[in-house]
């Protein structure tokens, strides 16, 4: 077994790469991982991301066995904004977002009242080109941000607004978002989360919630960037798409997703450009190989997806 590190060109993001050579049997390969020194868990806390290479992971069931090996119960995707398809219990496609577009760096469900501690990805089909699940260290991102931008986010937090249709319209339906068609169940979920919400006359749902933009990691005590303001803001859309959508809905608050500072003021596009540029400056891209498994400590590392060509099949589980 070999343990290496891979780093972004800036050196600001580092991941561990644990290779299990000749692991023809999944059970034997996982047993070998248990002898990793330092342990996979320790590497994950240190770096925020660990790649496992060489395991014979070829099916969703194999992937689920790897996730189960690490002992964490998987969770669903209630509150989630990305289009996903459930493959088997606790396992989803990583995203059904079109291949031609990048998905920006983000912390999973950081806009929600609770979020997964760990993310697990695996590669069943390598993309022909592109398609990396790129990473950025949230500690480095926060530390390297322009001081004024950092102060504004830390002082105000972020208010996330969502407009969900009831079966036909832009974005995701509330039924897909909350994995149920029971209005009472959704109302209870939002009440428990402390989220404001209202049902619309056409059967849709609007919700809003304010969250901190940075948080203290519960284990390391480090301050980390932990929000998705740049991904939810209209400036994240290609300009032509933003113009078209705003022509349809008028107010940005009527878009499927929108974000403002927590005091209700607009977030200047320049602030978000600074966030995106800083994250990209420290981005780490590791090309997928079939059978690879990636563990991400969600509060320590942001993740995204590069645009790609050809087929690509990456699965995800969360705990």
């Amino acid at each position: 077994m070999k343990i290496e590190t891979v780093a972004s060109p800036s050196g600001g993001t580092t991941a561990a790469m644990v290779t299990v050579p000749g692991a023809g049997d999944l059970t034997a390969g996982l047993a070998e991982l248990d002898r990793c020194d330092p342990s996979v868990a320790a590497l994950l806390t240190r770096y925020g991301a660990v790649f496992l290479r060489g395991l014979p992971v070829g099916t969703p069931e194999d992937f689920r066995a790897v996730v189960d090996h690490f002992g964490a119960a998987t969770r669903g995707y209630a509150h989630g904004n990305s289009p996903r398809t459930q493959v088997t219990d606790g396992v989803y496609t990583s995203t059904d977002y079109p291949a031609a577009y990048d998905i920006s760096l983000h912390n999973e469900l950081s806009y929600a009242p609770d979020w997964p501690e760990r993310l697990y990805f695996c590669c069943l089909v390598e993309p022909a080109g592109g398609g990396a699940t790129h990473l950025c260290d949230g500690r480095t991102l926060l530390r390297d941000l322009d001081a004024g931008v950092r102060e504004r986010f830390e002082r105000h937090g972020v208010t996330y607004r969502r407009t969900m249709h009831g079966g036909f319209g832009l974005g995701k339906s509330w039924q897909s978002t909350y994995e149920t068609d029971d209005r009472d169940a959704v109302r209870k979920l939002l009440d428990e989360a402390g989220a404001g919400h209202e049902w619309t006359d056409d059967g849709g749902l609007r919700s809003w919630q304010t969250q901190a933009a940075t948080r203290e990691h519960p284990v390391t005590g480090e301050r980390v960037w932990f929000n998705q303001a740049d991904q939810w803001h209209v400036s994240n859309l290609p300009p032509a798409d933003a113009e078209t959508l705003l022509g349809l809905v008028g107010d940005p608050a009527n878009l499927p997703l929108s974000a403002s500072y927590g005091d209700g003021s607009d977030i200047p596009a320049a602030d978000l450009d600074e966030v995106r540029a800083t994250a990209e400056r420290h981005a780490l891209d590791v090309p997928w190989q079939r059978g690879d498994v990636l563990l991400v400590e969600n509060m320590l590392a942001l993740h995204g997806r590069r645009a790609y060509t050809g087929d690509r099949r990456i699965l995800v589980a969360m705990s």
Side-chain angles (χ1 to χ4, degrees):
M1 185 163 50
K2 182 168 64 173
I3 303 174
E4 303 171 288
T5 56
V6 287
S8 63
S10 72
T13 300
T14 303
M17 175 73 73
V18 180
T19 303
V20 184
D25 176 81
L26 183 56
T27 301
L30 292 173
E32 181 70 15
L33 278 179
D34 288 339
R35 293 187 282 274
C36 183
D37 185 19
S39 69
V40 171
L43 291 169
L44 193 58
T45 300
R46 179 175 179 182
Y47 297 111
V50 177
F51 286 89
L52 307 179
R53 180 160 286 175
L55 295 174
V57 177
T59 67
E61 292 72 26
D62 290 340
F63 174 50
R64 181 60 199 244
V66 175
V67 174
D68 289 344
H69 180 78
F70 288 99
T74 57
R75 53 175 285 161
Y77 191 51
H79 295 286
N81 69 294
S82 183
R84 282 195 172 128
T85 303
Q86 186 164 352
V87 176
T88 188
D89 182 41
V91 175
Y92 298 80
T93 55
S94 60
T95 182
D96 298 332
Y97 199 66
Y101 297 97
D102 284 353
I103 296 175
S104 59
L105 289 154
H106 62 284
N107 305 96
E108 196 67 40
L109 289 165
S110 55
Y111 51 83
D114 66 288
W115 49 84
E117 175 185 346
R118 285 184 184 177
L119 311 174
Y120 305 80
F121 297 90
C122 83
C123 176
L124 299 185
V125 178
E126 302 172 16
T133 298
H134 57 313
L135 303 164
C136 176
D137 191 302
R139 297 161 290 194
T140 300
L141 171 54
L142 181 61
R143 187 167 56 245
D144 199 32
L145 267 181
D146 172 84
V149 173
R150 182 172 61 246
E151 190 276 332
R152 283 188 287 279
F153 273 102
E154 290 190 315
R155 173 158 45 99
H156 297 306
V158 179
T159 295
Y160 301 95
R161 293 182 178 85
R162 169 177 271 167
T163 301
M164 296 158 278
H165 61 82
F168 180 78
L170 296 173
K172 291 180 71 174
S173 69
W174 61 263
Q175 296 94 329
S176 175
T177 298
Y178 295 106
E179 301 180 328
T180 180
D181 58 4
D182 184 337
R183 283 193 178 207
D184 288 337
V186 173
R187 185 180 298 109
K188 181 179 179 182
L189 190 65
L190 290 168
D191 285 343
E192 289 175 346
H197 57 281
E198 62 184 11
W199 297 96
T200 62
D201 292 340
D202 59 358
L205 175 65
R206 297 178 187 272
S207 68
W208 55 92
Q209 187 162 33
T210 301
Q211 298 281 22
T214 68
R215 295 187 183 274
E216 182 179 293
H217 191 273
V219 175
T220 70
E222 297 165 293
R223 202 75 190 169
V224 297
W225 178 261
F226 195 73
N227 72 79
Q228 285 172 246
D230 64 303
Q231 194 177 60
W232 282 52
H233 195 268
V234 65
S235 62
N236 193 49
L237 295 170
D241 292 353
E243 183 178 355
T244 298
L245 289 174
L246 288 173
L248 291 172
V249 304
D251 192 322
N254 294 327
L255 289 168
L257 304 175
S258 62
S260 66
Y261 277 127
D263 63 353
S265 62
D266 291 338
I267 305 175
D271 284 8
L272 296 168
D273 287 343
E274 163 68 9
V275 171
R276 296 182 188 108
T278 305
E280 187 61 33
R281 186 160 60 247
H282 296 294
L284 168 64
D285 291 53
V286 177
W288 282 111
Q289 294 184 15
R290 187 176 188 274
D292 281 354
V293 174
L294 167 63
L295 283 67
V296 177
E297 212 291 353
N298 190 32
M299 287 190 71
L300 292 179
L302 295 77
H303 69 282
R305 188 207 68 188
R306 300 297 190 188
Y308 66 93
T309 58
D311 294 331
R312 178 186 188 268
R313 185 163 173 77
I314 308 296
L315 302 183
V316 65
M318 295 168 274
S319 66

